[in-house]
Amino acid sequence: MTDDSLSSHLHEMDLSPDSAFTAQANGTADLYDAAAADHEAFWAEQARSRISWATDFERTLDWDDAPFAKWFVGGSLNVAHNCVDRHVEAGNGDRVAIHFEGEGGDTRTITYADLQKEVSKAANALESLGVETGDRVAVYMPMIPETVFTMLACARIGAPHSVIFGGFSAEALHTRIADAEAKVVVTTDGQWRRGKPAPLKAAVDAAIHHGDDESPVEKVLVVKRTDTDVEWDDSRDVWWHDLVPGQPDTHEAQPMDSEHPLFILYTSGTTGKPKGIFHTTGGYLTQAAYTNAVVHDVHPETDVYWCTADVGWVTGHSYIVYGPLANGATQVLYEGTPDTPHQGRWWEIVEKYKVSILYTAPTAIRTFMKWGADIPAKFDMSSIRVLGSVGEPINPEAWLWYRKHVGGDKAPIVDTWWQTETGAIMISPLPGVTTLEPGSAQKPIPGISAEILDDDGNPFTEPEKVGYLVLTKPWPSMLRGIWGDPERYKETYWSRFGPKYYFAGDGAKYDEKGNIWLLGRVDDVMNVSGHRLSTAEIESALVSHPSVAEAAVVGAADETTGQAVCAFVILRGDAVDNGEETVQELRNHVAKEIGPIAKPRQVMIVPELPKTRSGKIMRRLLKDVAENREVGDVTTLADSSVMSLIKEGMSSGSSD
Ligand code: WTA
């Protein structure tokens, strides 16, 4: 579709809510009024109506020590009790919590009663390994039920988990384990990827035996998933199947203070060191449950919900584990990739389980567009009634394709903007309430306030002007800080526009209808297939290679992945440039240091990098090169001839 026909097509569509949908929707227009009338009373009501408290809270919000928030002060609750036990106690033990679909076609049906037993056994097992309230547990696992059991078992004990995405390397795992001082690691022998087993525990071993540092890890609990050969340390390693099944299947869930840390999740920042974003108990669970109810419109009695994110990312935390399970929903958990064994695998799963709510990322949708609409057309997807998108802006063309070929031309699409730091959805339409606008996340949900600021920090509302997105009021699921680094927390989020505004790091604008459009990161963070990667982290991986003197990394627009990693590298004087071979070696080096997701699409070997007089690399100019554009203003360069030198001397290699 050309741009012209796309916009006229958009113009003709009626995207106002369908009245039958509105009649049953969890979200209602009056929520906006209620939240605007009394912000704290609104959230107190959400907390009391959606969550079971062991002790009621005395104060809704304590913001006296801003930007360090305390929500639902004095309250206590257990997250695992809320996500599991209370549904069994309410007589819903027979309801399916998880339909597990293994990549190879093995399946498991786990009811809430089963989940209660599995989580209890896992909690007893972790305690037998010495895990106590407050200890950190690292989780490095694929998308299997044991991963969910482990996370909930940690919540049950009050031992914050730090889930590390299975695509990260031993090096990345080491940094994260060390920063959180994790006492126990839970992992698997391997993980299935496109029909082949890939080792996982081996990276844990390497992370623990890293350099001369003494590792904080005392025990490693290993699920056998792929029958991959593993090295074994008898004093440290324990098989899940030897320890967990024999544990008692009941476990007393102790209430935790509302502000007790629930988990740490590392995300990329503008420096090479990843930030341990941490979330606490009562506020996080309240907003995860609330948004899953009003934005995804989950009706636990009738819906089958499927969030395709990996549990290693925040979306998997809030919208596979905590939100849907707190609401007592039935969901699909799929282990594998979308094209194994064929490109219709997702749609086959939708048909098989009658999935009614699907939550995924624009990069996946664009991949399916490339594969063709005839693939989903082969399956019965009439069960779908709500679609969601998360992770990056969804372009209108992908939005329309999603609506038509997955949503049967009728399902509302909720384009949800949020971050690891926000913990839960912040800006999104409410299905059944909002008239949709393809490509825009539209407006803050009830209870959330945002503004767009200009360079001087003044809010504005004129359409089409580009500014910075900020959040103007504390919210229950906000990060409580950066693990071990309160100063960095203040500096990163609360200094750019003064202490009043949380600066999200995203550019944004309004359209003439007042909808908010998110325009991507304004800092040096890239978004590749919905995964956040920092330019600095990849640059430092590149310069750790003996042949590399200097490196600059930019995110260049990419049709499928949103952005792609493009690296510009200066070789050391004594290094030999073997052309394509060197390029491949450097690409693989990054994959080894950080993980395959960070592998550059392109590595370009250049004689110089464009720098300002103060020595700051001008990534903007490199981005022009990477995106094949005329190079922009070079007047602030220390040496303005550098750009032509780069273009002439470039020997580049590209991806597989
Ligand atoms: C981007 C993922 C536009 C944004 C939940 C944000 C989006 C970063 C959207 C957070 C969206 C996420 N529209 N951009 N609907 N959702 N983003 O921490 O740049 O992995 O700051 O959290 O993703 O990424 P994170």
Side-chain angles (χ1 to χ4, degrees), residues 390-393 415-420 506 518 521 527 532:
V390 59
E392 53 176 318
D415 173 3
T416 61
W417 178 89
W418 59 293
Q419 309 179 294
T420 304
D506 280 359
L518 278 314
R521 310 286 305 175
N527 191 324
R532 261 165 87 175

Side-chain angles (χ1 to χ4, degrees), residues 265-268 277 313-316 318-319 359 362 389-394 414-425 427-428 439-441 469 502 504-507 517-523 525-527 530-533:
L265 188 56
Y266 286 85
T267 189
S268 301
I277 303 299
W313 308 111
V314 75
T315 308
S318 303
Y319 298 113
Y359 191 36
S389 170
V390 59
E392 53 176 318
I394 175 165
V414 289
D415 173 3
T416 61
W417 178 89
W418 59 293
Q419 309 179 294
T420 304
E421 292 86 342
T422 70
I425 294 169
I427 302 181
S428 168
S440 162
L469 181 76
Y502 168 91
D506 280 359
W517 291 68
L518 278 314
L519 304 172
R521 310 286 305 175
V522 299
D523 51 19
V525 175
M526 291 169 288
N527 191 324
H531 301 152
R532 261 165 87 175
L533 298 170

Side-chain angles (χ1 to χ4, degrees), residues 145-169:
E146 286 82 358
T147 310
V148 179
F149 305 159
T150 301
M151 291 165 75
L152 290 168
C154 289
R156 213 173 171 90
I157 302 171
H161 54 68
S162 163
V163 182
I164 298 137
F165 174 58
F168 276 125
S169 66

